[in-house]
Structures are given as C-alpha cells and as structure tokens.
Amino acid sequence: MTRLSQATLERVDGVRTPKFDRASLQSGTLHIGLGAFHRAHQALYTESALTDGDLRWGTIGASLRSARTRDALARQDYLYTVCERQTNTAELQVIGGLTDVLCATDPADYGRLVAAIADPAIHVVTMTITEKGYCQTPGGTLDHTHPDVRHDLERPKRLRSAPGIIAAGLIARRQRGVPLTILSCDNLTANGPVTRSVVTAMVEASNPAAAAWVEDHVTFPSTMVDRIVPRTMPDDIDWVYGEFGYKDAALVVCEPFRQWVIEDQFLGPRPAWEAAGAELVSDVAPYERAKLRIVNATHSMLAYLGLLLGYDFIFEAVADPGISTFVRGVLRDEILPTIDTPAGLDAAGYVEATLGRFANAAVPYRTAQVATDGSHKLPQRIYPTLHARWDQHLPTPGLELVICAWLQCLAGRAEDGSAFTIEDSGAGTLRDLVAAHDDPASLIGAIGRETGHWNSLKGQGHEELLGRLSTGLATLRGRGVRPCMADLAQTANHR
Ligand code: CS2
C-alpha cells in the first residue's frame, strides 16, 4: 500500500499537490492544537500564500496532549490531504505547509515548542484548542481553580495548559524583543480578549515585569472561523485509498464552504490570507455573534434533540421535519431578534444556508461529536442569546427546551432506549449528578451548588429560570421530545 509521503507524492493522481519547493520553506507561523479543524481551515489559507510564492510561511504544528497526529504526520513527511466533499463531488488537495510537528507532553518536544513561541522568525501564532482549552471563568478571566492552571502555577518543569505554555514562550520572547500576534480560532465570544486575559494572567503570575512587555508587544486579534470538519473516520481513509490509490492517515474531510474573518491588528508581517478569501475587518464581533448564535447554536440544538430521538448524524436530525420546524422557529422567534447581522448579511438567507450545510450527508457529522463538551459550549452558543432576550424581558421557551435536552442527554439514553455517550470534561460530575438525582428540581439545584454551571446564566430572573428548567425537564421526561417541540411550534404560530 502506498503511504502519502514526499517520495510518493509525484505518483498521486487526480489530487492537487504542493507547487512550491518544500525544502526552501521557512517557519513563520506556529499553530497550537493541530486537530482536523485547523488542518482543513487556516492551513488552507496559509497554503495559498505558499503557492503564491511567499515561502516565509511554513507552519510548525503543535498538539498539547496526544502525540497521535504528530506521529501520523511524521510518517508522511508532514503531508496530508484535505478532501472537500459534497454529494457527487470531491476535491482533494495535499497540503505541504507543515515544516514540523510537536507534542507538548513529549519531553523532547516541550522545550522546542516554548522556543518556537520565542523565536523571532515566528510572527503569528494561531490556535484551536477548543472552548475548554482556555481554562477561563464564565467572565472570560483565568480560572485559578482549574486543575491545569493550578498545576502550572506551581512552576513545574513542564507546563500543561495552553495559557501557561504560551506565557512561558512570551516570557522567553521578551529577551528577543520581537512582537508577536496570537490569533485564537476557537468558537468563543470575544476570543481575542479572552486569550489576552488568560495568557496575561499566567505571565503576571510567573513574571510580573514581562506582563508590561506583553501589553505593548503582543496583540490578540479576534477571529471568526467557519467550516464543517468532522472527525475523520477510518472509512474516509479507505475511500481515498480506493479512489486515489494512496493511504493518508492524517486525512481531513470537510464541506466546500469556508469563512475566516480576522480583526486587523497585526504587529508584524503575516501571510496574505486575504488572497485566499479571508476578510480583514476592524470589528469581528457582529460576525462572531451571528456565527455562534446561528451556526453553532443550531448545530448544538440538532445534536441534543437528534440524540434523544436516536439520530447518529446531524444530517439525519436536520431532515426530521419535527426537529427542523422547531429549530427554524427558535431561530426566527428567539435568536434572530438578538442579532445585528454584519452589514450586507441577510439573516434569513444565512439561516437557510446553514441548514443546507448541515444537510450535507457527504460530510457526516456525528450528533455525539457536536454534543461533546456541552458544559463549555452552551455558555458560548446559547446563553448569550438568553441574556440578550432577558435584557429585553422577552421569553426563551425554545432555548430552555434545548438546555433540558442537553441535561437529558447526559443520562446517555435515547427515547427508544438505545445508549450513547457524550464526552465532556465537566460531565463526569454532571453525569454523576444526573444519576444521583431523579427529581429534576433537585438535579438543577445540585448542578448549581456542585459545579457552578448556572453561574454563567446569572442575571435577571435567575431563580425563575431554574424553576422553568426544572418543570421543563420533568415535562420532557414525561412527554418526550416530539410533543414538547410541537407544543412550542404551535404556541409560536399563535403568538
Ligand atoms: C461544531 C463546530 O463540534 C461542534 O461543536 O458545532 O465544530 C462547527 O462545526 C464549526 O464551528 C463550524 O464552523
């Protein structure tokens, strides 16, 4: 079997391959969190700068936990394929921009990662470390009680958290005196300011003098990223082998659509990402709000409702008329009224385009994957809409049903009795609580007391909300998802 590598590249047929001299690449960017999303998103924009002849922008990739991606890529000379797929069409491109891959938990790589952040040749650090990687409080500041933060603050030889590792790199960089731009590419409200806040707090804790340098020499622009990139399945790898005759263990499969909106606040040179369609703007917030509250919130709604109704995939959930009518209603009645869409964006069109993307069965996204880390995702995707509605004294019954569906999913059982598991770093405790409290009101109370999860929903009418969630969960358990969705759709139509 032919494995993708520099040596086998010229035999690869029907696939775009790098047209630049990889041996001449410099490493000007570093990416932390080398998952499928980065490889199918930012990496493509950077690849375009390389293809256009600017060879300064090779990328050092780093994983924070697992060495699996590093090892798979190392065996392939850091080459991998991006496969854009839609019904009946697939376009493949081999990406050649990675120059090295590190894993922070490997003692041999750890020092090189910190050194790369400090290296004056690196001008931009991008990151995709998921919502939980920021170790932040609901207010977006560093959570000093987080186990990884506590570990890092004890000043061990090797740090573990992303904010800690970046802080160590910045403290070392200060000696070199060269500014840096750090770009969060995660689905977080105000991802730039949150990154600044958690990283600066880490710098302050270990070297207060360096914090002033960071303030003046490091920027943290906000970004909005969008592309559907599910976890790669063994079937995908077999399919590429069957169709194109080579084996790529680091393959990523995604939809054709992609979008990247970046706050234009760079302190040094950067790849010409705009040549590949990135939008550089002065204010990312309207794009980010629309993306989180429409695209990501809808994804999560489909995931939780779909799981309870026994659907394995998002495209199946969106094809269910009961679910899609409900979701459209929540978008129309509860979510869209809170959003000032970016200039030129037609909100209704954005909603329909989003639902169309989710219906793409050629890029099947597991409901259980989207449902992952709900305790971190809901506060980013759903709760900001609740706050915006309450500020205007407006009701949120549909979104409350979604929160109840999430809680019900933590029990790991669909309505037809089939079992599933959703991973969530906070769900160990949540799942235990779900198992320990049969009564919805006592469950909701215990979640508040023991995990603090409802703190991010503090505000007007907090107690009433928790009361509504308790009755909502009891009704959901008693009547099932379909009647609850149908009731709400009916009430909305008579409003
Ligand atoms: C998804 C996102 O897994 C998830 O939580 O909602 O990864 C989503 O596919 C992307 O944000 C789309 O841009």
Side-chain angles (χ1 to χ4, degrees):
M1 180 180 295
T2 309
R3 187 200 298 280
L4 179 63
S5 71
Q6 194 62 42
T8 58
L9 197 55
E10 57 187 33
R11 277 186 269 144
V12 167
D13 218 11
V15 174
R16 272 173 71 192
T17 52
K19 292 288 170 281
F20 47 87
D21 175 20
R22 293 189 74 219
S24 309
L25 281 185
Q26 297 158 39
S27 301
T29 62
L30 166 71
H31 184 81
I32 301 177
L34 201 60
F37 187 79
H38 166 75
R39 283 182 279 140
H41 188 272
Q42 302 100 59
L44 259 94
Y45 291 84
T46 305
E47 188 80 356
S48 140
L50 301 177
T51 305
D52 288 346
D54 189 350
L55 298 189
R56 287 175 298 168
W57 302 114
T59 300
I60 299 174
S63 301
L64 289 180
R65 297 275 178 270
S66 156
R68 223 181 32 229
T69 304
R70 178 198 64 180
D71 296 345
L73 283 163
R75 281 195 292 273
Q76 305 182 173
D77 301 321
Y78 306 131
L79 292 166
Y80 67 92
T81 315
V82 175
C83 169
E84 297 181 1
R85 215 155 55 185
Q86 200 146 26
T87 327
N88 302 328
T89 62
E91 288 218 8
L92 280 74
Q93 177 179 0
V94 172
I95 302 298
L98 279 171
T99 53
D100 197 0
V101 180
L102 309 168
C103 175
T105 49
D106 180 335
D109 283 0
Y110 175 81
R112 292 170 60 210
L113 172 55
V114 175
I117 301 170
D119 183 349
I122 298 283
H123 293 289
V124 183
V125 173
T126 51
M127 56 206 271
T128 45
I129 54 173
T130 80
E131 295 84 348
K132 63 177 178 285
Y134 292 79
C135 311
Q136 82 275 35
T137 61
T141 57
L142 187 69
D143 177 2
H144 289 260
T145 66
H146 190 290
D148 289 351
V149 172
R150 289 204 340 236
H151 168 272
D152 288 1
L153 290 175
E154 282 162 16
R155 317 254 176 112
K157 269 228 211 66
R158 288 205 308 274
L159 306 175
R160 199 184 271 165
S161 72
I165 292 172
I166 295 172
L170 292 180
I171 291 168
R173 192 173 180 102
R174 181 179 168 225
Q175 311 304 321
R176 323 294 289 269
V178 181
L180 182 67
T181 303
I182 300 184
L183 278 185
S184 160
C185 301
D186 281 296
N187 294 313
L188 290 186
T189 305
N191 53 13
V194 169
T195 310
R196 175 199 298 279
S197 163
V198 296
V199 168
T200 309
M202 272 293 189
V203 174
E204 249 157 24
S206 47
N207 186 335
W213 183 84
V214 168
E215 171 83 33
D216 293 339
H217 296 86
V218 185
T219 54
F220 299 85
S222 285
T223 68
M224 182 278 256
V225 291
D226 197 1
R227 174 164 244 189
I228 293 173
V229 191
R231 189 175 296 146
T232 308
M233 294 292 158
D235 277 0
D236 299 321
I237 295 174
D238 293 346
W239 179 80
V240 167
Y241 180 62
E243 294 286 315
F244 298 91
Y246 69 95
K247 170 115 194 267
D248 179 355
L251 168 76
V252 284
V253 177
C254 58
E255 63 173 341
F257 176 85
R258 66 172 194 221
Q259 190 179 12
W260 195 9
V261 186
I262 309 168
E263 185 184 3
D264 196 358
Q265 269 218 30
F266 287 78
L267 281 183
R270 61 166 176 80
W273 287 319
E274 62 275 32
E279 299 156 72
L280 284 118
V281 301
S282 58
D283 183 11
V284 171
Y287 297 89
E288 166 210 282
R289 261 197 300 271
K291 157 74 186 354
L292 281 169
R293 295 186 195 182
I294 297 176
V295 180
N296 291 115
T298 302
H299 223 189
S300 291
M301 291 197 262
L302 294 167
Y304 296 118
L305 299 166
L307 271 173
L308 290 180
L309 289 175
Y311 293 122
D312 288 335
F313 292 102
I314 294 290
F315 73 84
E316 297 171 330
V318 83
D320 179 303
I323 298 183
S324 63
T325 304
F326 169 79
V327 165
R328 277 198 173 82
V330 176
L331 282 158
R332 182 195 59 222
D333 298 337
E334 299 182 29
I335 297 178
L336 290 187
T338 72
I339 295 175
D340 290 329
T341 39
L345 185 86
D346 153 38
Y350 191 62
V351 164
E352 287 312 314
T354 301
L355 292 171
R357 291 168 57 202
F358 292 157
N360 181 357
V363 186
Y365 214 125
R366 289 198 170 270
T367 41
Q369 190 190 340
V370 180
T372 304
D373 284 338
S375 65
H376 300 278
K377 288 178 181 170
L378 263 56
Q380 302 299 333
R381 316 178 160 192
I382 305 277
Y383 299 175
T385 305
L386 294 177
H387 282 290
R389 301 275 299 168
W390 301 337
D391 286 348
Q392 296 167 41
H393 304 282
L394 296 168
T396 49
L399 292 172
E400 289 162 25
L401 176 58
V402 174
I403 300 175
C404 293
W406 165 59
L407 292 173
Q408 188 62 0
C409 280
L410 291 171
R413 201 159 286 283
E415 290 190 348
D416 64 6
S418 54
F420 56 80
T421 314
I422 49 177
E423 292 163 29
D424 189 322
S425 64
T429 328
L430 284 166
R431 256 198 299 268
D432 293 345
L433 294 173
V434 169
H437 295 267
D438 265 349
D439 172 55
S442 80
L443 171 64
I444 305 270
I447 290 177
R449 275 192 313 281
E450 299 197 23
T451 71
H453 180 80
W454 306 127
N455 287 348
S456 35
L457 278 175
K458 280 252 156 72
Q460 284 182 33
H462 185 64
E463 288 308 317
E464 290 86 333
L465 167 75
L466 297 188
R468 286 198 303 278
L469 291 180
S470 304
T471 35
L473 184 56
T475 314
L476 179 64
R477 285 179 181 172
R479 303 194 58 214
V481 180
R482 277 193 196 287
C484 290
M485 292 192 305
D487 280 0
L488 278 178
Q490 237 187 5
T491 335
N493 283 338
H494 291 107
R495 220 179 267 154

